[in-house]
Each structure stands twice: as structure tokens, then as C-alpha cells.
Amino acid sequence: MANKEMKHPQNVSGRFYCTSPDDPNGEGCTACQICYSEAPDFFTSDEDGYSYVSCQPESEEDIGFCIEQLEACPSLSIGNDG
């Protein structure tokens, strides 16, 4: 489960977020590239390849698409405060 206390500093405000790779619980982004390869409208990588949410989804379809990325994340580093 994503650690909401360790959000990546570049996340935009909103319900979805990515956890910093520095998460001491080991649930930080591992730069696997899945989310920003599959959903580049919402997830972006920083200069080191770690993911952050660059745009929050608004439509039900886009929210569902982001939930798919959350469920596909192997490091469980995508969170949903919604």
C-alpha cells in the first residue's frame, strides 16, 4: 500500500499520487515504467525515472484508467486518497 506520508514531491494535488523512492517501508517507486508508459497523460517520470502524478484524472473513464495503473503497480507505490 502506498505510503501517503512519503509522496513524491512532484505529484500534483489530488486523489492519486506516487510514493517517493525514498520510502523507508520499501513501497516507493522502483522506476518500472509501467504507469507512465501506459498512462502518460497522468503519470510522468522525474529525472531519475521515478514516477509521479503530473495530471489528475477528471472523467470516470480516466479515473478508472488510473485505478488500473494503481492495481498494476508492482511496488504498490501508487496511492488513491479518493
Side-chain angles (χ1 to χ4, degrees), residues 43 48 51:
F43 298 92
D48 296 316
S51 298

mmCIF file with all atom_site columns, all heavy atoms in Angstrom, residues 43 48 51:
data_model
loop_
_atom_site.group_PDB
_atom_site.id
_atom_site.type_symbol
_atom_site.label_atom_id
_atom_site.label_alt_id
_atom_site.label_comp_id
_atom_site.label_asym_id
_atom_site.label_entity_id
_atom_site.label_seq_id
_atom_site.pdbx_PDB_ins_code
_atom_site.Cartn_x
_atom_site.Cartn_y
_atom_site.Cartn_z
_atom_site.occupancy
_atom_site.B_iso_or_equiv
_atom_site.pdbx_formal_charge
_atom_site.auth_seq_id
_atom_site.auth_comp_id
_atom_site.auth_asym_id
_atom_site.auth_atom_id
_atom_site.pdbx_PDB_model_num
ATOM 1  N N   . PHE A 1 43 ? 0.730  10.100 -15.591 1.00 0.00 ? 43 PHE A N   1
ATOM 2  C CA  . PHE A 1 43 ? 1.951  9.749  -14.877 1.00 0.00 ? 43 PHE A CA  1
ATOM 3  C C   . PHE A 1 43 ? 3.167  10.160 -15.709 1.00 0.00 ? 43 PHE A C   1
ATOM 4  O O   . PHE A 1 43 ? 3.188  9.967  -16.919 1.00 0.00 ? 43 PHE A O   1
ATOM 5  C CB  . PHE A 1 43 ? 2.012  8.239  -14.608 1.00 0.00 ? 43 PHE A CB  1
ATOM 6  C CG  . PHE A 1 43 ? 0.895  7.754  -13.731 1.00 0.00 ? 43 PHE A CG  1
ATOM 7  C CD1 . PHE A 1 43 ? -0.288 7.298  -14.280 1.00 0.00 ? 43 PHE A CD1 1
ATOM 8  C CD2 . PHE A 1 43 ? 1.028  7.761  -12.346 1.00 0.00 ? 43 PHE A CD2 1
ATOM 9  C CE1 . PHE A 1 43 ? -1.334 6.854  -13.475 1.00 0.00 ? 43 PHE A CE1 1
ATOM 10 C CE2 . PHE A 1 43 ? -0.010 7.311  -11.536 1.00 0.00 ? 43 PHE A CE2 1
ATOM 11 C CZ  . PHE A 1 43 ? -1.190 6.862  -12.103 1.00 0.00 ? 43 PHE A CZ  1
ATOM 12 N N   . ASP A 1 48 ? 15.266 10.980 -12.629 1.00 0.00 ? 48 ASP A N   1
ATOM 13 C CA  . ASP A 1 48 ? 15.852 9.691  -12.271 1.00 0.00 ? 48 ASP A CA  1
ATOM 14 C C   . ASP A 1 48 ? 14.991 8.506  -12.702 1.00 0.00 ? 48 ASP A C   1
ATOM 15 O O   . ASP A 1 48 ? 15.318 7.363  -12.401 1.00 0.00 ? 48 ASP A O   1
ATOM 16 C CB  . ASP A 1 48 ? 16.097 9.627  -10.760 1.00 0.00 ? 48 ASP A CB  1
ATOM 17 C CG  . ASP A 1 48 ? 17.125 10.651 -10.305 1.00 0.00 ? 48 ASP A CG  1
ATOM 18 O OD1 . ASP A 1 48 ? 18.160 10.796 -10.994 1.00 0.00 ? 48 ASP A OD1 1
ATOM 19 O OD2 . ASP A 1 48 ? 16.894 11.303 -9.274  1.00 0.00 ? 48 ASP A OD2 1
ATOM 20 N N   . SER A 1 51 ? 8.319  7.675  -10.908 1.00 0.00 ? 51 SER A N   1
ATOM 21 C CA  . SER A 1 51 ? 7.008  8.190  -11.295 1.00 0.00 ? 51 SER A CA  1
ATOM 22 C C   . SER A 1 51 ? 6.438  9.197  -10.321 1.00 0.00 ? 51 SER A C   1
ATOM 23 O O   . SER A 1 51 ? 6.683  9.121  -9.118  1.00 0.00 ? 51 SER A O   1
ATOM 24 C CB  . SER A 1 51 ? 6.001  7.036  -11.394 1.00 0.00 ? 51 SER A CB  1
ATOM 25 O OG  . SER A 1 51 ? 6.397  6.145  -12.383 1.00 0.00 ? 51 SER A OG  1
#
